[in-house]
Amino acid sequence: MHRRPPTPRSTILSTRPRTAAFALATAACTIGAVLFAAGPADAATRHVLPDSVPTWATAADDTGTVAASTDVEGEVYLPLKDQAGAEALATAVSTPGTSRYRKPLSPKAWIAAYAPTKSDVDQVTGFLRAQGLSITGVPASHEFVVFRGSASVVDSVLGTTRHAYRHAQQTLVAPSTAPSLPASIAGLVSGVSVDQGRLLTHPELVQQGETPASSTPTRSLRQQAAAPTGINATCSAYDGQHTATVPAAYGRTSVPTFACGYVPNQIRSAYGVDALGKQGVSGQGQTVAVIDAYASPSIIHDTDSYSAQHGEPALTSATFEQRIPAPSQFTDQALCQQPSGWQGEETLDVQSVHAVAPSGKILYVGGTNCGGGLDVAMSRILDQGLADLVSNSYGDVGENLPLASIRGQENLHIQAAGEGIGLYFSSGDNGDESASLGSAQPDFPASSPWVTSVGGTSLGVAKDGHKTYETGWGDLLDQIVTSPRGNVYTTPLPGGIVGGGAGGGRSTLFDQPAYQRGVVPAGLANGKRVSPDLAALADPYTGFSIGIRPITDDAKLTTGAFENETYGGTSLASPITAALSALVQQSTNTRLGFANPTLYATYRAAPASFSDVTPPASPIALAYTSATSGHDFLVTLDHDTSLTTATGYDDVTGLGAVSFRGLSAVARR
């Protein structure tokens, strides 16, 4: 049992100073009116902002300068007043055995003790406005400033030139040299983000018949034209309802078919909380916040229609609230995959939380885009203490952001922990991201040591509601076609079409947190943070049915007819975990806060409290027929890139599948 809190430290290894603020603090006092009237100072009076250029902005991938009129979003980060103290508080509040355990600060008290001062942020915003930039977001905690302007103005203010670079299958804009600021302003900030890498942040969801989204929208699995095979796999309402005859695979020719999409009562039954509602435990008094970009124009109507369809309670003012930007405030839609690209995400998040905790309150907070807008949404919750459980079903492509941006977001995670707010992040849908990045990386923010990373599983639910199997989410598909020899697979089993898999693995940035030591195998960690921490249902072929009126026009936000769709991805796993945590908090009258230190301490003391996810004794495969293309596939489960399930901790499911029993044991520590 590991109870002693670790010594506070910076969590990101770097040979460079963490911020420019300490060396330049004295210069901050010299600011005056002359600075605001003048243009950027000459090079002799400017200071470079470290760690503000993404590693992918290389000469080899440089495709040239961008138009001067290109609209640019940027974010300036201000350092905390006491970084070490904030980290020490977050650790103590979250670690069993400390005198501060589960005694968080209020948002007002945390801001007073650790946040940058209003004077500092006012000087930064005053300078930016004086140079012709628009301020679009400043949180009450003053930890960052979101601004916009043309590329020519931004380049002039920051003393750099923005170029276009090939990265992650797209062309993105980034500074070609390190940004700089006048010394008086540079001394107030820790870094700046003015690259479009933040706009690769995407929903972590996958539909049946699609490859997962990474830097580009999802793609349908529409292979070459093929003659009908006659398999015609019919979806199953529960595991084993239907089978299909397929070419010989793993010693058999008859396999179960894919799931139509589980519905609320099946999810509650599979996770062992179906009887709690009869005992008055269905989320009363709990609030789960959900953050995504933009906002679905039909979310209440859709969820009420879906609830009526399945005999569930409709949303009320007591169970749903949204704080969203006006459509006129939406920005960067093209790079952020449009409001329609996030509508399914919001719908999945809201309807899965409502399925697990139907009496709990859901607070939806939408960002103006998938970059700085998400930070503004997060700060809105943290600075006002609007919820103590927050589900975030989005992520970047690996950890390929400038360290200044990583640190700025990490400080929000530290604030949440100090305030006793648990942040749950989807671990990703592209396995180890090597296909997109050329090297294995976990997705950030899920890789942050201050959040709970939620991986994914494939789940079988029997007719009576119990689990028939639960294994790691990693789908490989093999198309079935006709030939003179009959139906055959196009490639050797298990196939070469990746249908998605849980993200995770060893961080390239973060040291191993104390709570993981002795639990995560040394061979996996090698001294670094490994994610995920827990896992829940994510496989779209054993996925969750939602009800939605899809957006048909992103400019007008018009919607079509109501329809059911089946979704998966760790976007499903994160809200399920947050909603289960809400039930645990209600039943135990305990605020879980940042759960990781207690999760791992509980595992050390009672590993049987967790539902270990191990490789299946024999391969599990499902027959799938695409409703759009008519093509047939065999889906083999538990094949997730270089990430693998194993006895004990693994980098697909973490400590194991989330359960009410396991989280209750955590709550009682």
Side-chain angles (χ1 to χ4, degrees):
M1 186 180 301
H2 190 83
R3 291 183 176 272
R4 186 176 178 180
T7 301
R9 57 167 178 77
S10 296
T11 57
I12 302 178
L13 286 180
S14 175
T15 57
R16 290 166 285 190
R18 183 171 177 89
T19 72
F22 304 111
L24 303 172
T26 55
C29 301
T30 65
I31 190 165
V34 175
L35 176 62
F36 296 112
D42 61 48
T45 61
R46 297 177 71 86
H47 287 269
V48 169
L49 300 175
D51 303 328
S52 295
V53 177
T55 57
W56 47 262
T58 64
D61 291 315
D62 193 337
T63 64
T65 57
V66 300
S69 60
T70 302
D71 186 45
V72 172
E73 177 180 87
E75 198 164 349
V76 173
Y77 305 98
L78 282 73
L80 301 182
K81 283 187 293 194
D82 179 4
Q83 183 74 40
E87 292 183 13
L89 172 73
T91 300
V93 166
S94 310
T95 304
T98 70
S99 60
R100 285 215 63 118
Y101 182 49
R102 291 180 175 161
K103 298 176 183 176
L105 290 182
S106 68
K108 182 178 180 180
W110 190 94
I111 290 171
Y114 301 109
T117 66
K118 185 177 186 300
S119 173
D120 284 354
V121 81
D122 284 348
Q123 291 185 66
V124 172
T125 57
F127 168 75
L128 295 174
R129 286 193 179 101
Q131 307 309 315
L133 297 173
S134 299
I135 306 302
T136 59
V138 181
S141 63
H142 313 136
E143 293 176 63
F144 57 86
V145 175
V146 184
F147 63 87
R148 297 194 79 91
S150 67
S152 60
V153 174
V154 171
D155 287 352
S156 175
V157 172
L158 296 176
T160 186
T161 303
R162 292 167 61 80
H163 285 208
Y165 297 88
R166 294 182 297 271
H167 172 62
Q169 307 171 39
Q170 288 203 42
T171 298
L172 303 174
V173 174
S176 59
T177 57
S180 63
L181 284 171
S184 298
I185 297 300
L188 301 175
V189 307
S190 58
V192 64
S193 169
V194 283
D195 67 274
Q196 290 181 328
R198 281 296 306 275
L199 302 183
L200 294 184
T201 300
H202 56 276
E204 303 280 19
L205 81 167
V206 186
Q207 286 184 262
Q208 294 175 346
E210 291 184 335
T211 57
S214 55
S215 57
T216 57
T218 57
R219 301 179 296 280
S220 295
L221 298 177
R222 301 185 183 210
Q223 306 301 310
Q224 69 277 5
T229 65
I231 291 175
N232 296 325
T234 301
C235 71
S236 293
Y238 53 86
D239 181 34
Q241 181 188 22
H242 299 298
T243 60
T245 301
V246 298
Y250 314 118
R252 57 191 187 276
T253 57
S254 179
V255 299
T257 63
F258 67 106
C260 303
Y262 297 130
V263 297
N265 68 325
Q266 289 177 298
I267 296 296
R268 291 194 296 271
S269 178
Y271 282 99
V273 297
D274 50 331
L276 291 178
K278 299 175 183 177
Q279 302 168 20
V281 178
S282 55
Q284 294 92 332
Q286 304 297 313
T287 299
V288 176
V290 169
I291 297 175
D292 290 312
Y294 312 126
S296 168
S298 56
I299 185 61
I300 296 176
H301 192 192
D302 292 346
T303 302
D304 285 350
S305 297
Y306 176 79
S307 296
Q309 185 181 35
H310 297 291
E312 300 291 319
L315 295 176
T316 68
S317 59
T319 59
F320 186 74
E321 177 187 354
Q322 53 185 344
R323 303 192 180 194
I324 56 178
S328 61
Q329 296 175 296
F330 293 176
T331 60
D332 304 302
Q333 289 99 315
L335 271 174
C336 288
Q337 301 186 28
Q338 301 289 354
S340 58
W342 287 81
Q343 184 194 19
E345 178 61 70
E346 178 184 347
T347 307
L348 176 64
D349 293 344
V350 169
Q351 292 179 4
S352 59
V353 171
H354 192 53
V356 176
S359 299
K361 180 178 180 179
I362 301 168
L363 170 67
Y364 177 75
V365 183
T368 55
N369 68 357
C370 62
L374 293 177
D375 289 346
V376 173
M378 176 70 77
S379 285
R380 197 171 186 180
I381 295 168
L382 303 185
D383 294 348
Q384 300 178 54
L386 299 179
D388 52 34
L389 297 164
V390 187
S391 178
N392 306 274
S393 292
Y394 54 83
D396 300 305
V397 182
E399 297 176 319
N400 271 286
L401 295 172
L403 285 178
S405 179
I406 295 275
R407 289 169 180 151
Q409 293 179 71
E410 185 191 6
N411 281 344
L412 294 178
H413 308 159
I414 292 167
Q415 176 186 358
E419 293 177 5
I421 298 173
L423 302 182
Y424 297 85
F425 274 90
S426 300
S427 73
D429 298 342
N430 295 279
D432 63 13
E433 293 286 13
S434 57
S436 296
L437 301 174
S439 62
Q441 294 184 26
D443 285 355
F444 181 82
S447 64
S448 167
W450 300 100
V451 309
T452 299
S453 173
V454 187
T457 67
S458 302
L459 179 67
V461 180
K463 185 176 182 179
D464 66 2
H466 77 270
K467 290 183 186 181
T468 55
Y469 63 83
E470 189 162 25
T471 190
W473 175 42
D475 293 328
L476 280 180
L477 282 74
D478 208 340
Q479 188 176 359
I480 303 168
V481 297
T482 59
S483 78
R485 297 178 288 112
N487 292 340
V488 296
Y489 298 107
T490 54
T491 59
L493 291 172
I497 303 171
V498 177
R506 180 189 307 144
S507 175
T508 64
L509 300 174
F510 298 104
D511 288 339
Q512 185 178 49
Y515 57 74
Q516 286 198 320
R517 293 173 195 157
V519 174
V520 177
L524 284 181
N526 196 25
K528 294 292 185 179
R529 156 75 158 144
V530 183
S531 54
D533 301 301
L534 291 170
L537 172 60
D539 189 343
Y541 297 95
T542 66
F544 181 68
S545 173
I546 68 164
I548 188 171
R549 292 172 175 83
I551 293 173
T552 56
D553 186 321
D554 278 299
K556 298 178 181 178
L557 296 181
T558 53
T559 60
F562 180 81
E563 60 186 55
N564 291 111
E565 297 179 356
T566 301
Y567 282 153
T570 51
S571 279
L572 173 58
S574 179
I576 284 176
T577 301
L580 282 170
S581 298
L583 296 183
V584 168
Q585 289 193 160
Q586 181 193 354
S587 66
T588 62
N589 196 29
T590 300
R591 182 171 176 170
L592 291 171
F594 170 49
N596 283 16
T598 314
L599 280 172
Y600 286 85
T602 304
Y603 184 87
R604 289 186 186 92
S609 299
F610 294 80
S611 180
D612 195 14
V613 179
T614 58
S618 58
I620 300 174
L622 305 173
Y624 167 68
T625 298
S626 169
T628 54
S629 70
H631 295 157
D632 297 310
F633 302 86
L634 187 77
V635 185
T636 302
L637 312 185
D638 197 38
H639 283 271
D640 186 9
T641 57
S642 66
L643 312 178
T644 58
T645 54
T647 300
Y649 181 93
D650 62 62
D651 51 13
V652 177
T653 66
L655 297 170
V658 68
S659 69
F660 180 81
R661 180 172 65 93
L663 288 176
S664 295
V666 171
R668 294 188 177 99
R669 284 197 65 82

